[in-house]
Amino acid sequence: MQNQIYKGGRDQEVIALFIQTFSDSEGKEEGLLIGELVKKFLDRTPLQDLQVFIATEQEQITAGVFFSRMRFEKRAIETWLLSPAAVQTRFQGMGVGQSLIRFAHEYLRGQGAEMAVTYGDINFYSKVGYQPVSVDIVPSPQPLSYPEGWIAQSLRGEKLMPISGRAFCVEAINDPVYW
């Protein structure tokens, strides 16, 4: 597997990966919803607010992760929201997703990122350093339907300090349906 920064040119293949992966695990409706989210990210999100990473095996895209910029009303902290992430079904359970996320974290850290957050399965994301966090510590951009899934980590190895005020995410994911 080769991890790399996605440079564009294969958007349809990236979208198809997310549709198929989420359809396999969560059903066709969820697959189409996440496929639309990925399309919105790729089509509408300013490049400075989006980082996409892919894993390939013999030039085939086998995994992808999207990181979009988050901002806070009262504190300037370089923060990236990990969502969504997908690993082609036949490559799941092989460490492909973990390797890709670690690669992305290293890249983002090198670019000055201080914190990464996501909203997902703690059992998976804890393998790459995420821990549950209260919205009192790190506010979420939308109300959470599953607060236990709000997880974060310092990319500098520091303790997360409470952030007051509102949180903001990019337009593509700023829809309650994803939260």
Side-chain angles (χ1 to χ4, degrees):
M1 263 334 129
Q2 181 181 358
N3 296 324
Q4 58 196 281
I5 300 165
Y6 178 65
K7 303 275 189 201
R10 299 172 74 179
D11 289 5
Q12 291 308 313
E13 190 177 348
V14 171
I15 293 166
L17 165 73
F18 281 83
I19 291 172
Q20 188 61 57
T21 301
F22 278 86
S23 292
D24 288 351
S25 65
E26 306 292 329
K28 185 176 181 178
E29 186 175 313
E30 185 75 5
L32 293 173
L33 179 71
I34 299 304
E36 184 60 30
L37 172 62
V38 168
K39 183 173 180 8
K40 286 179 193 174
F41 271 129
L42 294 170
D43 290 349
R44 301 181 193 167
T45 304
L47 293 177
Q48 71 269 17
D49 291 336
L50 183 68
Q51 294 288 339
V52 181
F53 303 88
I54 59 171
T56 58
E57 173 81 13
Q58 298 177 345
E59 299 302 315
Q60 178 189 11
I61 298 175
T62 57
V65 293
F66 281 69
F67 283 83
S68 58
R69 191 177 305 276
M70 275 186 60
R71 291 183 173 85
F72 300 97
E73 181 177 42
K74 296 184 179 181
R75 186 166 165 208
I77 179 170
E78 184 74 16
T79 304
W80 291 85
L81 172 65
L82 164 55
S83 184
V87 176
Q88 199 176 78
T89 304
R90 67 187 176 108
F91 289 101
Q92 291 178 5
M94 303 167 92
V96 174
Q98 293 174 49
S99 174
L100 184 58
I101 292 169
R102 285 187 186 103
F103 173 82
H105 285 167
E106 285 300 316
Y107 176 82
L108 292 168
R109 185 179 297 112
Q111 300 298 307
E114 299 172 65
M115 180 171 58
V117 296
T118 192
Y119 184 45
D121 180 2
I122 185 62
N123 294 319
F124 173 76
Y125 289 107
S126 66
K127 296 175 184 177
V128 290
Y130 288 85
Q131 297 297 319
V133 64
S134 161
V135 294
D136 295 331
I137 302 297
V138 179
S140 63
Q142 292 281 341
L144 303 173
S145 59
Y146 179 69
E148 297 80 9
W150 190 234
I151 51 183
Q153 70 172 291
S154 166
L155 294 177
R156 295 185 170 179
E158 301 167 349
K159 181 180 179 192
L160 296 177
M161 301 306 294
I163 300 169
S164 60
R166 295 180 46 210
F168 303 93
C169 60
V170 300
E171 176 193 347
I173 199 163
N174 194 29
D175 183 327
V177 72
Y178 303 118
W179 300 89

